[in-house]
Amino acid sequence: MKKKILFCLAMIACLFIASCGNDEENAPAEKKKAIVTYLKNSTIDYWKQIESAINSECEAMNFKSIVYYVDDDSDIDGQYKAVSGIAKLQETYDIKGVIIAPIYTEGNHKVEESLADFISGTKIPVVIIDSPVDEKNNPLKNYIKAYVGTDNKTAGKSLAEAINVEASTVFAARIKNSTPTTARYEGFCEGIGTSIPIWETLNDNETPAAMTEKLADYANAQNLVFFNGGLCVSVLDACKGKNVYSFDAYKPLVQDMISENGCVKGIITQNTFLMGQKAAFAVIDNATSGNIFVPTIYVTRETVRSNEFRPFINYFGMSI
């Protein structure tokens, strides 16, 4: 009898141990912490530089970095589709924050509405990067933890003060209906002390011939200022013999600057690497919030080798 009791106890112990083992094996795996980022056009260096910084910061903190792009800066439907899939991502990852450069048009905030619907049932913070938003009418206004970007009007004024030329020698160009380039232009005019002639285009695809024709009307304009770097790249060949100053550190502009006979004399750029780092850090560090304005970098042929501009040179893989 005693042997039977001992045998039964042994069997119960074995079953208990086996049961515990199964519980451990069946326990759900711990989800990896992640930051989900929604940027704009993947073909533009500006956004790739921001992504590079976000990825670096996430890697250092052992976070998964998940980045989505759209085909162009106005692809609101593409960004809406990407944002709509965030609930599915949460099944796999422990999402700690969302970084987004939202695309919206007047009266169409479906990207923010979709993200707000998801965020409302969570405590996930939202960090807006680069693109200022109308907080009054924005569906995300109650969930925005921080805005990371640049004061574009101040940047425009800084460029005017840096180049320090007579207003009568300046001709400028910008993308029409672009909030950032409008602010840059206004700041530049304030810095130079008067309004300057400006060529407005709808996109970056203006031809060199169009630029050459326009410049013929301003033959005395020795200094050309581009408030949009992509536009400057597209018409750079038409600017030979002029002094070119541009916003945004695009690779062709930097290459022209370091070449012996280039026409690009100065570039003022948002510190994209610092922007990406600040955005990721605003998610990871719960104490960081509010408006985070990242200072611009002004680089010339004389200062292009500076430590401040070094991350751009390294990113482009240039040896200078």
Side-chain angles (χ1 to χ4, degrees):
M1 184 67 178
K2 186 176 180 180
K3 289 182 178 180
K4 288 183 177 181
I5 293 173
L6 290 173
F7 177 76
C8 289
L9 289 173
M11 289 298 294
I12 291 171
C14 289
L15 290 172
F16 178 76
I17 292 170
S19 175
C20 289
N22 288 335
D23 286 343
E24 291 175 1
E25 291 173 7
N26 295 328
E30 184 177 352
K31 295 179 180 178
K32 187 175 182 66
K33 296 176 183 177
I35 294 177
V36 184
T37 302
Y38 300 94
L39 300 177
K40 295 184 181 179
N41 193 336
S42 64
T43 64
I44 295 177
D45 291 325
Y46 177 82
W47 297 110
K48 297 301 288 184
Q49 291 162 9
I50 289 176
E51 180 195 4
S52 176
I54 292 172
N55 290 344
S56 178
E57 194 71 19
C58 285
E59 183 179 358
M61 300 300 293
N62 197 28
F63 274 59
K64 173 72 174 178
S65 177
I66 304 169
V67 181
Y68 291 94
Y69 282 100
V70 288
D71 292 334
D72 62 63
D73 288 358
S74 62
D75 186 8
I76 190 171
D77 291 331
Q79 192 173 68
Y80 173 75
K81 181 178 179 181
V83 167
S84 298
I86 192 169
K88 187 70 175 176
L89 279 178
Q90 196 181 32
E91 296 176 8
T92 305
Y93 298 100
D94 178 12
I95 299 175
K96 290 300 184 182
V98 173
I99 299 170
I100 183 169
I103 299 173
Y104 56 89
T105 56
E106 188 174 351
N108 188 349
H109 290 269
K110 66 180 184 180
V111 169
E112 294 102 321
E113 288 170 358
S114 177
L115 187 56
D117 286 344
F118 168 75
I119 295 293
S120 62
T122 72
K123 294 183 178 180
I124 297 174
V126 176
V127 174
I128 304 295
I129 190 166
D130 178 75
S131 307
V133 296
D134 177 8
E135 292 190 12
K136 183 178 179 181
N137 300 313
N138 197 297
L140 282 172
K141 63 182 179 181
N142 294 326
Y143 312 109
I144 297 174
K145 181 187 180 188
Y147 164 73
V148 181
T150 300
D151 184 338
N152 281 295
K153 187 171 183 178
T154 298
K157 185 176 181 180
S158 298
L159 179 60
E161 293 169 349
I163 66 176
N164 191 27
V165 295
E166 292 293 328
S168 60
T169 68
V170 178
F171 176 74
R174 72 181 181 92
I175 300 297
K176 192 174 183 179
N177 300 325
S178 164
T179 300
T181 60
T182 299
R184 293 168 181 175
Y185 172 67
E186 291 173 352
F188 187 90
C189 291
E190 181 180 322
I192 208 166
T194 186
S195 295
I196 56 173
I198 188 155
W199 176 39
E200 293 185 311
T201 74
L202 293 175
N203 52 55
D204 291 351
N205 298 320
E206 296 288 347
T207 64
M211 183 63 174
T212 302
E213 182 179 343
K214 196 67 181 176
L215 285 176
D217 297 332
Y218 296 92
N220 294 329
Q222 186 59 32
N223 301 293
L224 310 182
V225 178
F226 291 86
F227 297 104
N228 174 273
L231 175 60
C232 184
V233 169
S234 69
V235 298
L236 194 57
D237 287 342
C239 302
K240 300 302 181 184
K242 303 285 187 178
N243 299 322
V244 173
Y245 302 91
S246 178
F247 272 78
D248 307 326
Y250 284 70
K251 187 173 182 178
L253 302 183
V254 179
Q255 287 176 322
D256 182 275
M257 175 179 281
I258 64 177
S259 66
E260 185 176 347
N261 298 312
C263 60
V264 178
K265 307 300 182 184
I267 297 171
I268 190 165
T269 185
Q270 292 159 300
N271 192 332
T272 47
F273 297 97
L274 188 56
M275 284 176 66
Q277 289 171 346
K278 292 284 188 183
F281 194 71
V283 171
I284 297 167
D285 175 24
N286 291 327
T288 302
S289 61
N291 289 328
I292 303 169
F293 291 111
V294 177
T296 54
I297 300 170
Y298 180 62
V299 60
T300 66
R301 288 174 170 267
E302 292 72 33
T303 63
V304 71
R305 293 167 176 78
S306 66
N307 290 333
E308 189 179 23
F309 199 70
R310 178 58 54 182
F312 293 88
I313 299 300
N314 292 341
Y315 176 81
F316 291 136
M318 296 181 181
S319 298
I320 60 172

